[in-house]
Amino acid sequence: MRQETIENYLKTIYNLSSDNSALVGNKALADKLKLKPATVTEGLRKLHDLKYVVYEKSYGSRLTALGARLALNIVRRHRIWETYLVRELGFGWDEVHEIAEELEHVKNDKLTNKLASILGNPVYDPHGDPIPDEKGKMQKSNFIKLSEARTKLNYKIMGVTDHSSTFLKYLEKHQLTIGTHLKLKTIEAFDHSIVLQYNKKELTISVKAAELVIVEEV
Amino acid sequence: MRQETIENYLKTIYNLSSDNSALVGNKALADKLKLKPATVTEGLRKLHDLKYVVYEKSYGSRLTALGARLALNIVRRHRIWETYLVRELGFGWDEVHEIAEELEHVKNDKLTNKLASILGNPVYDPHGDPIPDEKGKMQKSNFIKLSEARTKLNYKIMGVTDHSSTFLKYLEKHQLTIGTHLKLKTIEAFDHSIVLQYNKKELTISVKAAELVIVEEV
DNA sequence: ATTAAAAATTAGGTATACCAAAATTAGTAA
DNA sequence: TTACTAATTTTGGTATACCTAATTTTTAAT
Ligand SMILES: [Mn+2]
Ligand SMILES: [Mn+2]
Ligand SMILES: [Mn+2]
Ligand SMILES: [Mn+2]
C-alpha cells in the first residue's frame, strides 16, 4: 500500500473516533476519504494485515497502538503546518486545511520539530484542535459543542469541527473567532436556534452551525 | 497519469537537457528516475499524448512549450524550498535536496510566492542553481566547470552539479563553499588533478570532483 | 418475530505504474 | 560493410487503487 494511502486512512480513522477506542464504520470512513465503501473494505483488510488496525468484519475498525502512533504523527504534522501557515506565512485560518493535507505527508522529523520550535511548540492549531507532541501526547480538555451549551451561562470559543472555507468565512464575518467570549441568551423552543450575545451585539445561529463550534464555560 | 509522476518526468527531462532543446535519451532518464527503460518508454508515450513532450521514437524526447512551463514551475518550487530550508529553517545545504523532492509537489502559488518574497525573491538556490521567476525566466550565466578552468587564473565558486550529501560534506570540509575565491595553481599532467590555492592553503582535487564544481572567472 | 432500510461485503472489472525477458534498432569500431 | 554493443521497444506480466452491481449482514421499525 502506498504510504500516503495508509496515512490518509489512519488519520481519518483517528479523526472519526475521537474516543479513540470506538469502532469506525466503513460508510463514514468512505465518505471522509471520498471513496466507495467497497474500496474501504479492501483497504481495511490490508491495514489489518499490516497491523495498523483491528478490523471487526461488518462492524468497523479501530487503530492498534502502532496505527495510533502513525496517525498521531500525521495529525501533528497537519496541525503544525496549519499553525505555521497562519502565524508565519500570513494565510487565513480558512485557507490552510487543504495545503496541510499535502504538507502533512512530508516525513522529516527535523523539519516538523523545527517548525514547532519556531512557533514555540504550540498546543492548539488555528481551528482549536490540540497538537500532539513528539510522543503523541496532547492537551485534553472538557470542551463542549455550542449546541449543547446552556442558557444564561458565559462561554469562550475554543475551536471548530468543520474546517471548510465557507464555514470559517461565515464565522469570521460575524466575529465568531477563537477566543471570542459570548453569553448564551436564549434557545428558541421552536427549532433550537441559539441566540448569542457578544461584542455588544446579538446573533442567532442555527443548530447546524452551533454543532460545529466548540466552547468552554467561563 | 498521476500528477507527481508527470512532474518528476518533466523536471528530469528539463534537468538533463539544460541546453534547452536537445533530445534526452531514455536510458539517462530511466537512471535519474530510478526506473527501467521499458517503463520510461511507456511513460513518454503518455506524456506525448498529453502534449508535454515531443517524443522521437528510438531517439529521445524534449519538452514542448507546455511541458517546459510545468517543468519550470517544479524547478522553481524545488529551489525556493531548498533556499527557504537553508536560510529560514536552519538546514545545511547537504540536507535539503531530499526534502525539496517532496515539497516541490505541493502546488499552491500563494505559498511558493510567499516563501520567495520572504527570501527577497532569490535568484540562486543554495547549490548555485538559478531560480526561475513566476514566468519561468531566470538568470543566465557563463559559468564553467572547474575541470575546464585554466591555470594561473582566478575563479569564484558559483555552484555544484551534485546535490548528494556526501559530496557537499566533502566540499564543506575543505571550505569549498559557494562564494569561495580560488586560484588554479597547476594541473597535474598525469591525471589532470587540479591544484587549488585559496584561504591561504593548497588543495588537490580529482577531475571527478572538479567536474561537479561550477566556477566563474574573476 | 417480521420486514424494510442501511451498511458492509463480494465478485468482477478498469486504469495506472511498474518490471523482466525477448526482439528490434541505432551506433561504433573494425 | 560487417559485426558487435548499447539503447530502445515490445510483449506479457504483477501489484495497487479504485469502481459498479449484486449479495449478504446488520440495524431499526413495526
Ligand atoms: Mn485541517
Ligand atoms: Mn486544524
Ligand atoms: Mn535539489
Ligand atoms: Mn538546489
Side-chain angles (χ1 to χ4, degrees), chain A residues 75 78-80 82-83 93 96-97 100 124-131 160 163:
Chain A
V75 168
H78 182 102
R79 294 180 181 170
I80 283 174
E82 284 188 344
T83 310
W93 72 334
V96 297
H97 179 75
Y124 290 107
D125 85 358
H127 311 105
D129 295 310
I131 301 177
V160 294
H163 296 178

Side-chain angles (χ1 to χ4, degrees), chain A residues 125-143:
Chain A
D125 85 358
H127 311 105
D129 295 310
I131 301 177
D133 69 16
E134 262 197 283
K135 325 211 122 148
K137 284 265 171 301
M138 59 187 165
Q139 218 79 5
K140 64 164 83 67
S141 55
N142 56 339
F143 302 158

Side-chain angles (χ1 to χ4, degrees), chain B residues 44-103:
Chain B
L44 288 171
R45 199 190 37 71
K46 290 177 197 157
L47 290 173
H48 170 88
D49 293 347
L50 292 167
K51 310 226 191 300
Y52 285 126
V53 305
V54 351
Y55 181 38
E56 315 217 334
K57 200 162 144 181
S58 280
Y59 294 89
S61 52
R62 71 168 64 84
L63 298 173
T64 60
L66 185 68
R69 205 173 317 137
L70 219 178
L72 280 163
N73 259 290
I74 315 305
V75 168
R76 171 169 162 81
R77 287 185 226 140
H78 183 102
R79 294 179 181 171
I80 282 175
W81 271 116
E82 284 188 344
T83 310
Y84 193 83
L85 288 166
V86 167
R87 306 226 301 238
E88 302 293 324
L89 300 177
F91 282 83
W93 73 334
D94 59 309
E95 303 177 292
V96 296
H97 179 75
E98 292 307 317
I99 309 175
E101 287 288 326
E102 300 187 53
L103 289 166

Side-chain angles (χ1 to χ4, degrees), chain B residues 1-2 5 35-36 38-39 42 59:
Chain B
M1 251 179 141
R2 280 177 52 215
T5 308
L35 300 174
K36 301 297 161 181
T39 305
E42 269 187 85
Y59 294 89

Side-chain angles (χ1 to χ4, degrees), chain B residues 22 27 52 93 103 129 146 151-152 156 171 195 201:
Chain B
K27 174 65 161 48
Y52 285 126
W93 73 334
L103 289 166
D129 294 310
L146 179 51
T151 48
K152 302 287 192 294
K156 184 178 168 189
L171 291 183
V195 183
K201 65 178 187 173

Side-chain angles (χ1 to χ4, degrees), chain B residues 1-207:
Chain B
M1 251 179 141
R2 280 177 52 215
Q3 187 62 19
E4 206 178 308
T5 308
I6 294 175
E7 294 183 353
N8 284 332
Y9 270 82
L10 299 186
K11 175 189 63 167
T12 307
I13 294 169
Y14 175 84
N15 285 150
L16 288 177
S17 148
S18 48
D19 46 335
N20 62 63
S21 60
L23 284 177
V24 174
N26 288 8
K27 174 65 161 48
L29 193 47
D31 286 349
K32 281 278 181 194
L33 290 170
K34 293 184 181 155
L35 300 174
K36 301 297 161 181
T39 305
V40 164
T41 301
E42 269 187 85
L44 288 171
R45 199 190 37 71
K46 290 177 197 157
L47 290 173
H48 170 88
D49 293 347
L50 292 167
K51 310 226 191 300
Y52 285 126
V53 305
V54 351
Y55 181 38
E56 315 217 334
K57 200 162 144 181
S58 280
Y59 294 89
S61 52
R62 71 168 64 84
L63 298 173
T64 60
L66 185 68
R69 205 173 317 137
L70 219 178
L72 280 163
N73 259 290
I74 315 305
V75 168
R76 171 169 162 81
R77 287 185 226 140
H78 183 102
R79 294 179 181 171
I80 282 175
W81 271 116
E82 284 188 344
T83 310
Y84 193 83
L85 288 166
V86 167
R87 306 226 301 238
E88 302 293 324
L89 300 177
F91 282 83
W93 73 334
D94 59 309
E95 303 177 292
V96 296
H97 179 75
E98 292 307 317
I99 309 175
E101 287 288 326
E102 300 187 53
L103 289 166
E104 71 189 5
H105 300 291
V106 175
K107 184 177 170 344
N108 184 292
D109 290 342
K110 185 171 171 183
L111 175 57
T112 310
N113 293 336
K114 178 68 186 181
L115 296 174
S117 141
I118 287 171
L119 294 164
N121 297 304
V123 170
Y124 290 107
D125 85 357
H127 311 105
D129 294 310
I131 301 176
D133 69 17
E134 262 198 282
K135 326 211 121 146
K137 284 266 171 302
M138 60 186 164
Q139 217 81 7
K140 64 164 80 70
S141 53
N142 56 338
F143 302 158
I144 59 168
K145 292 180 192 167
L146 179 51
S147 56
E148 288 160 358
R150 287 180 306 154
T151 48
K152 302 287 192 294
L153 298 181
N154 289 294
Y155 295 96
K156 184 178 168 189
I157 298 182
M158 303 307 289
V160 294
T161 51
D162 177 345
H163 296 178
S164 74
S165 188
T166 36
F167 180 61
L168 297 178
K169 280 208 168 86
Y170 158 79
L171 291 183
E172 208 157 49
K173 187 175 71 185
H174 294 296
Q175 300 169 50
L176 288 171
T177 49
I178 289 177
T180 302
H181 284 257
L182 46 81
K183 182 178 197 163
L184 206 172
K185 208 179 163 206
T186 56
I187 298 175
E188 298 282 357
F190 164 55
D191 63 355
H192 299 97
S193 294
I194 291 170
V195 183
L196 302 172
Q197 197 154 45
Y198 63 101
N199 293 357
K200 299 184 176 92
K201 65 178 187 173
E202 238 180 69
L203 180 75
T204 306
I205 73 171
S206 67
V207 185

